[in-house]
Amino acid sequence: MNQRLRKTLPSRFLLAVTIGGVIGLGILRGPGEIAQTIHDPSLYLLLWLFGGFFVLLSTAVTAELFGMTRRSGGTYALVRRAYGGYCGFVIGWVDWLSFTADLALKAVVITEFSSILFPPVADWSIPVAIMVTSTFALIQLRGISVGATIQEIATGMISLVVVSMAAVLFFVGIPESSPTEFSANSSSLVDWGLVLATIVFTYDGWLYASYFGEEIKGDPGASARSCVQGMVVVIILYMFLNFALVKNSSLTALAGSELAIATAFELAGLQLAGNLVVIAAILILLGHQNLEYMGGPRILYALATDGLADRRAQKLGRGGNPTDALLATWLVTVGLILVGGFEFLLFLSVFFYITIYLALITGVIILRKREPNAERPYMAWGHPYSTITCLFGWFLLTSFQAYLERGTAIYAVIMAAVSWPVYRYLSRDP
């Protein structure tokens, strides 16, 4: 069963998955978390800009791996080339499990936000969550072209909503008499670390295009550049929204808010505009359901192609999607919705993801030395200086996260150790 994915996706799709994959609930709730530590608007905006440029530089470096790999399967395919089978095996399975956990969590959160607009939904949260996630799984059975079209439309709508919210905030202000809900306290180094981590993670998703590497039509170099272009668009959208937020509102009034944009509207007396934020959150989550049902099964497909998962995960439907891998992704997602447990998987995957980003940056250096003459349709900007800068930044973030989540880090090490005999068994000669 050696079926191969076909080149059916236009290059504009990469812009859609990069922008749609990065823009998440972080931009709606992150400002409230950051405002607990940062009270000065200029510093607040500067940190968002700094975080955006750091992630943009990371994208411009690791896009070199994307351009030269030409495989679907996400970070698994990129890391495997640089480090070999075992590291790829661990990262591939963690990545796939994190997709199922994220799908389960976001399906549940969709019902929670929907119940704000339609309270009766709260009584049917689990069935509605299963219905939502099952709908997007069924859509993928229609084929990759249908999912790609939906993603392009969803990304366009999400971008329009972000611009609309920023435009409204630009022309309203919170009255001076509005009460604040926060009193300033001295900030520790950990608080500042959390601020930077929150901003960087809000920009997370910059290599979503790598899940579809072998299916993009056209020049691989242009595909890699599309990732960078997509991040530029995201930075512009984020900065526009944040500038509008601080222009006419007080950061201390937003501190601790779970949906800071909605709080800003409410403090300005625009209750209906607050519903716009809830709708935006639902739209973002629905777009992620579609995108993750496109990307997740491709991880299993890539693992199966290399003999590290059940061979049936290679089976492709008439529409070009790996159907058995899609079914497995849906089954695990529904199971997690029913029994819970996705929070632990998400905490574990967050720790692995930071390590993966560090590994990707290091992978650029490794392949430059190991394969100096390999074809590179796209080359990292400013290498080696940019690469070393990113390496240092991700090393600090990885160390910081390991310090904060010491228990999770121990679980990650145990999981990697236990997976070794499994990898040896799967990769044995038939």
Side-chain angles (χ1 to χ4, degrees), residues 166-176 242-251 254 264 267-268:
V168 172
L169 285 170
F170 240 98
F171 297 104
V172 300
I174 297 176
E176 292 295 328
N242 276 300
F243 181 73
L245 183 66
V246 302
K247 178 179 180 290
N248 289 323
S249 61
S250 166
L251 286 174
L254 305 176
L267 292 174

Side-chain angles (χ1 to χ4, degrees), residues 378-403:
Y378 170 92
M379 298 185 72
W381 291 355
H383 179 85
Y385 306 107
S386 59
T387 310
I388 292 172
T389 300
C390 292
L391 184 67
F392 179 70
W394 285 109
F395 174 77
L396 289 179
L397 279 171
T398 302
S399 302
F400 176 71
Q401 192 69 19
Y403 171 76

Side-chain angles (χ1 to χ4, degrees), residues 85-423:
Y86 177 61
C87 288
F89 167 78
V90 174
I91 288 170
W93 278 101
V94 169
D95 198 13
W96 179 71
L97 286 173
S98 73
F99 265 67
T100 61
D102 204 40
L103 281 164
L105 175 64
K106 287 176 178 176
V108 172
V109 174
I110 286 171
T111 66
E112 292 175 354
F113 280 123
S114 298
S115 66
I116 296 174
L117 303 175
F118 307 103
V121 172
D123 297 328
W124 301 90
S125 59
I126 299 300
V128 171
I130 293 175
M131 182 181 68
V132 167
T133 201
S134 300
T135 298
F136 283 96
L138 287 171
I139 287 172
Q140 300 310 317
L141 292 178
R142 298 292 303 274
I144 183 65
S145 60
V146 176
T149 300
I150 291 174
Q151 191 57 47
E152 290 176 15
I153 294 172
T155 297
M157 293 177 66
I158 291 169
S159 301
L160 180 61
V161 169
V162 170
V163 171
S164 299
M165 290 189 297
V168 172
L169 285 170
F170 240 98
F171 297 104
V172 300
I174 297 176
E176 292 295 328
S177 58
S178 297
T180 60
E181 300 176 4
F182 176 80
S183 58
N185 293 315
S186 59
S187 301
S188 67
L189 186 61
V190 171
D191 293 329
W192 280 89
L194 287 172
V195 166
L196 291 175
T198 298
I199 291 174
V200 170
F201 296 154
T202 303
Y203 284 106
D204 182 41
W206 28 283
L207 275 183
Y208 241 116
S210 64
Y211 292 92
F212 311 94
E214 66 191 86
E215 299 163 81
I216 306 300
K217 295 184 287 187
D219 175 30
S223 297
R225 286 188 290 273
S226 292
C227 299
V228 179
Q229 293 162 2
M231 282 308 307
V232 171
V233 173
V234 172
I235 292 170
I236 292 172
L237 290 173
Y238 277 10
M239 292 306 300
F240 183 36
L241 182 58
N242 276 300
F243 181 73
L245 183 66
V246 302
K247 178 179 180 290
N248 289 323
S249 61
S250 166
L251 286 174
T252 54
L254 305 176
S257 171
E258 291 191 1
L259 285 176
I261 311 297
T263 301
F265 285 138
E266 290 170 3
L267 292 174
L270 301 175
Q271 298 295 332
L272 291 179
N275 289 339
L276 173 65
V277 180
V278 176
I279 294 171
I282 294 172
L283 182 61
I284 288 170
L285 293 169
L286 290 174
H288 284 191
Q289 285 281 312
N290 180 71
L291 183 54
E292 290 180 13
Y293 269 119
M294 294 176 70
R298 280 164 170 74
I299 305 169
L300 275 187
Y301 168 86
L303 286 164
T305 300
D306 294 337
L308 300 177
D310 193 302
R311 292 289 184 182
R312 287 173 292 185
Q314 287 181 265
K315 180 181 177 182
L316 300 179
R318 286 184 296 179
N321 276 326
T323 51
D324 282 21
L326 174 63
L327 176 62
T329 303
W330 173 76
L331 284 172
V332 174
T333 299
V334 171
L336 289 173
I337 291 173
L338 289 172
V339 304
F342 42 73
E343 289 89 352
F344 170 74
L345 284 176
L346 285 175
F347 276 122
L348 188 64
S349 63
V350 165
F351 178 81
F352 269 104
Y353 267 124
I354 304 171
T355 309
I356 290 170
Y357 293 145
L358 178 61
L360 287 172
I361 301 296
T362 308
V364 174
I365 299 173
I366 291 173
L367 290 180
R368 282 290 185 108
K369 291 183 177 180
R370 185 193 301 164
E371 304 178 22
N373 300 319
E375 182 183 359
R376 288 177 170 82
Y378 170 92
M379 298 185 72
W381 291 355
H383 179 85
Y385 306 107
S386 59
T387 310
I388 292 172
T389 300
C390 292
L391 184 67
F392 179 70
W394 285 109
F395 174 77
L396 289 179
L397 279 171
T398 302
S399 302
F400 176 71
Q401 192 69 19
Y403 171 76
L404 288 182
E405 301 289 344
R406 292 182 288 277
T408 304
I410 292 172
Y411 277 117
V413 172
I414 293 173
M415 179 177 177
V418 170
S419 66
W420 172 251
V422 179
Y423 167 74

